[in-house]
Amino acid sequence: MQMALSTHHIPRPDYANDPEGYPASEATRAAFQIQVLKEEEIAKMRVVSRMSREILDLAASHVKPGITTDEIDAVVHEATIARNAYPSPLNYRCFPKSVCTSINEIICHGIPDQHVSVYFDGYHGDVNGTYPVGKISEEDTNLIRTTRECLDASIKMCKPGALFRDIGKVIEPIATANGCSVVRSYTGHGIHKLFHTVPNIPHYAKNKAVGTMRPGMTFTIEPMINLGPSYAADEHWPDKWTCTTSDGNHSAQFEETLL
């Protein structure tokens, strides 16, 4: 497991010290109930979410032709530790790096994925972005633009009383209209003291997600959008994390944490 800089002096989530990386807190009864956070808890979520965004933007500033994903991972790891925070992906279910970089046809969980998650003061933040490296094709430019549009449109519909299942109803028509498809195998999720918890947030239409938005709920929206009509995400590398498109087409993702 990566330890470029020691994290032993920093408060860590339960899975950080577990040899199997098992998040026992995510198996408790409370983990299956959508939590409504108190004001002081929301304040902590704002701090860690801003920190996550700051670190992602720092990592993105290093993206250029020739840089390796390991070098990006080192930037994220060192920036997180410097803030007395813990990189949430590190040892989560034995994930070996501090940032998840997914390139081209990789949908998510590439080792190391430009997906920055930070644990600070007992709470997790989670953000994600897709970045062009040098000059890219018009097709890929459209893919990135479409994915961002999907996320932004879905955020606009979020308000007290809105249904979680309607998020996908906003996202999928935008993707389809731009010659893309929505990955169905991975969803957004609740986040707070737990890294991943309810509610589940599917990004496709006609889903069966349960729940209504209320003030104090915190969750992510993180659509994974593929070029072309195939939304399949059934291909995994031997590392058991890296997930790719089934047809080799490129994929993009953006994510924000909503409070």
Side-chain angles (χ1 to χ4, degrees):
M1 186 174 73
Q2 166 193 346
M3 284 288 178
L5 290 176
S6 175
T7 62
H8 293 298
H9 66 291
I10 292 171
R12 297 184 281 176
D14 58 351
Y15 55 81
N17 296 320
D18 188 272
E20 302 296 326
Y22 179 63
S25 55
E26 293 182 9
T28 62
R29 181 177 297 179
F32 296 92
Q33 300 172 339
I34 301 176
Q35 301 297 306
V36 175
L37 304 188
K38 299 175 182 177
E39 283 299 322
E40 59 268 26
E41 295 176 309
I42 290 175
K44 290 183 178 183
M45 281 297 298
R46 291 189 188 282
V47 170
V48 73
S49 294
R50 289 191 187 105
M51 187 182 293
S52 299
R53 169 54 61 184
E54 184 179 288
I55 294 169
L56 177 61
D57 289 347
L58 175 63
S61 72
H62 287 74
V63 173
K64 61 182 179 180
I67 194 168
T68 67
T69 53
D70 256 339
E71 289 170 328
I72 292 173
D73 182 72
V75 169
V76 170
H77 186 85
E78 292 168 13
T80 303
I81 302 309
R83 290 163 174 78
N84 287 314
Y86 182 86
S88 295
L90 187 59
N91 205 46
Y92 180 79
R93 300 187 183 276
C94 291
F95 190 84
K97 294 290 186 176
S98 292
V99 61
C100 286
T101 37
S102 299
I103 299 171
N104 296 338
E105 76 278 8
I106 308 300
I107 294 171
C108 60
H109 303 151
I111 300 177
D113 188 343
Q114 199 79 324
H115 187 134
V116 171
S117 308
V118 171
Y119 180 80
F120 180 76
D121 199 15
Y123 290 80
H124 295 273
D126 203 4
V127 292
N128 185 315
T130 298
Y131 305 95
V133 181
K135 186 176 181 180
I136 62 174
S137 70
E138 186 176 332
E139 240 187 358
D140 285 338
T141 300
N142 177 63
L143 171 64
I144 294 174
R145 182 176 58 246
T146 297
T147 307
R148 185 71 232 189
E149 184 181 347
C150 286
L151 177 58
D152 290 343
S154 64
I155 289 173
K156 287 180 182 177
M157 63 81 58
C158 292
K159 61 183 179 180
L163 301 177
F164 289 116
R165 67 171 180 257
D166 286 346
I167 290 173
K169 188 188 298 184
V170 171
I171 290 172
E172 188 160 39
I174 296 172
T176 302
N178 286 277
C180 300
S181 53
V182 180
V183 171
R184 299 183 174 219
S185 302
Y186 295 95
T187 67
H189 53 87
I191 184 170
H192 36 72
K193 291 181 179 179
L194 304 181
F195 191 12
H196 296 94
T197 185
V198 292
N200 292 318
I201 313 291
H203 303 112
Y204 55 89
K206 298 181 180 179
N207 66 75
K208 297 181 180 179
V210 175
T212 302
M213 298 177 201
R214 291 174 54 190
M217 291 180 175
T218 53
F219 56 93
T220 71
I221 305 177
E222 46 186 296
M224 286 145 273
I225 307 298
N226 295 347
L227 274 174
S230 175
Y231 55 78
D234 301 325
E235 304 294 327
H236 283 83
W237 287 6
D239 60 30
K240 299 181 181 179
W241 279 102
T242 306
C243 178
T244 73
T245 58
S246 59
D247 56 10
N249 276 342
H250 288 182
S251 187
Q253 182 183 20
F254 286 93
E255 174 187 16
E256 301 287 0
T257 296
L258 278 73
L259 306 175

